[in-house]
Amino acid sequence: MKNKKYQKQTIPYLLLIMVMVGVLLFYNLSQYKVNEFTYDQFIIELSKESVKNIEITPKNSAGVYSISGQLKEYPEYESFKVNVPMSESVLEKILTYVDESEIEVITKTNPETNGFLMIFLNIVPYIILIGGTIWLFSKISGGNKNNMDFGRSKAKLSEDGGKVKFADVAGLIEEKQEVSELIDFLKNPKKFQKLGARIPKGVLLVGPPGTGKTLLAKAVAGEANVPFYYISGSDFVELFVGVGASRVRDMFKQAKQSAPCLIFIDEIDAVGRQRGTGLGGGHDEREQTLNQLLTEMDGFGANEGIIIIAATNRPDVLDPALLRPGRFDRQVTVSLPDQIERKAILGVHARDKIFDKSVNLENLSKRTPGFSGADLENLLNEAALLAVRRNKDAISMSEIDEATDRVLMGPAKESRKITEKEKKLIAIHESGHAVIGLKLKEANEVHKITIIPRGMAGGYTMMLPKEEKIAIMTKSELEASITGLLAGRVAEDLFIGEITTGASDDFRRATKIARSMVTEYGMSDLGPVQFEHKSEGVFLGRDYNKSQNFSDTVALEIDQEVRKIVDNSYKEATKILKDNKKLVTLLTDTLIEKETLTREEIVELVETGKLTSASNPENLKAQAKKLGIKGYTKMSEAELIKAIEDSKS
């Protein structure tokens, strides 16, 4: 198959080369000038001794000698040609002049004596010309689907449905049950028709990016023994007007001919956006394509065996007519995985990787809330790349920890020089965040503190929920989140007596939470009233405008309530940090020395007031860096410990 594909790709280039060579030959041949002489003119030129060379070719069928040559006055590209009677007297006369003038003579045999050569020269060129013309016209008329074929559907047909199966899709138990019903209908439709059940015409997979919508559709293709068409929403819209609608018609025509079958449309929001929104301008071609899609989905019956599966992460921008029953009857939400599903996803992506005995995927799944399936796959891949970079035989927790930080914040900027003053500022700031997580009951747990710069941050404190929740948070938990965010600024003010710009992002996040508590969640003295809700413009972008149903007086009260929540949280953070000055100082001093603290080390500091374990890979690296040990980033933990001991001794 690869050889055939390669031949198809190279044939046009060979034809182009042949055409170019032909043009060059024609151009060169057109430069040559051939003068037709009579016998008398030729004899006169011979007598004048002006002939430079001649070439004699006998032609028996015509009874003449064909003589060509050049005169001495001719340039290289000019020559003459003459036919003389085929007789011995004429030939002797010509040769006499030739001997006297010492003219260069070339004698050729009669080409007519070679029958095969005559056939080749006279017939084969015509065969090549006619064959090439037929081949080119066949390609233009339909042999090549990419030429002159704009209205044809770009949906690709996978007869075997692909190689992905449900076993390759970890988690998504309920979602797989929903789509399994479709496969069961395609295999055994009588079971549903017996009870008068109408199978959904279309199923819309909705969810954040990276949660496995396309993978789930591929698994449906792998499990179904029916033709499976797959296409992207952007493949419908083309430069030419009407092409999108034509492709929709052609796609459904093909599907009806091969029913029962499945059609998968990825990123359907590219073609299914709301019509007539006004702002941002219209797009007639896309709207025509959407209209044709709506018409075609109404054009086939409930049990004809054509089922459409579409995927999008923006269901809010889809046209309502597309989502009504009879078109996309069912929406399947593919949400972010929970801890159990993350463990299963990590198990799938860990099949072809070699891990150290210390690696525990269950613990890793607990440390990665909010990660999508794509994020988890990227995390393990980054860990594998780091292990290769460090010349290790297996992936250890050191690489996984580093990979987690790289996915969340970006690579560590270990080469960046930080002054002692700046390091102390960052350490105090991060210690303030951490103490709130340690001492405030409703706050998240502190799992890691680091002052190594990553991305745009000088350092960060990793805080994770004590228990993983679906989507509900209490008022006290939201207030604790605000308190934790403000604690960095409070620590700067209390322990340095000077504030920095490092808390700007903390303020943004804290203000957003506080305003949502007042205007959306009804968690203020203004009562259970929703004053604002997101109204995302289809063409204006996300969060460009919000619906505000209140007067200027209420707006002032909202601002006052937001400020009250933030001020109370600031006071709470100040009280907690004042009561735990020793812990803030202890964390700060340890961070300046070690640069990174893990959950176990933080607990040890809180309980004992000192740190005895120094085997943390991040701490070992920090010590090696401080001691100036070369190549420490590629050393194993045992090598780092030995190098540090040798350096100190």
Side-chain angles (χ1 to χ4, degrees), residues 560-614:
Q560 291 173 346
E561 290 295 322
V562 171
R563 180 174 291 277
K564 184 190 297 184
I565 293 173
V566 174
D567 287 345
N568 290 338
S569 297
Y570 195 92
K571 291 176 182 177
E572 179 73 11
T574 304
K575 181 179 181 303
I576 293 173
L577 294 184
K578 281 183 177 179
D579 294 341
N580 295 275
K581 285 185 177 180
K582 291 183 178 180
L583 181 57
V584 175
T585 304
L586 177 63
L587 289 174
T588 301
D589 295 340
T590 310
L591 274 174
I592 292 173
E593 180 184 356
K594 306 293 185 183
E595 293 189 341
T596 300
L597 294 175
T598 63
R599 168 92 181 141
E600 294 77 14
E601 292 169 335
I602 295 168
V603 171
E604 185 180 358
L605 280 172
V606 174
E607 293 178 353
T608 64
K610 59 182 180 179
L611 188 64
T612 58
S613 60

Side-chain angles (χ1 to χ4, degrees), residues 545-558:
N545 56 342
K546 286 187 176 182
S547 176
Q548 298 181 350
N549 300 317
F550 49 82
S551 63
D552 293 341
T553 303
V554 175
L556 177 61
E557 294 177 353
I558 290 172

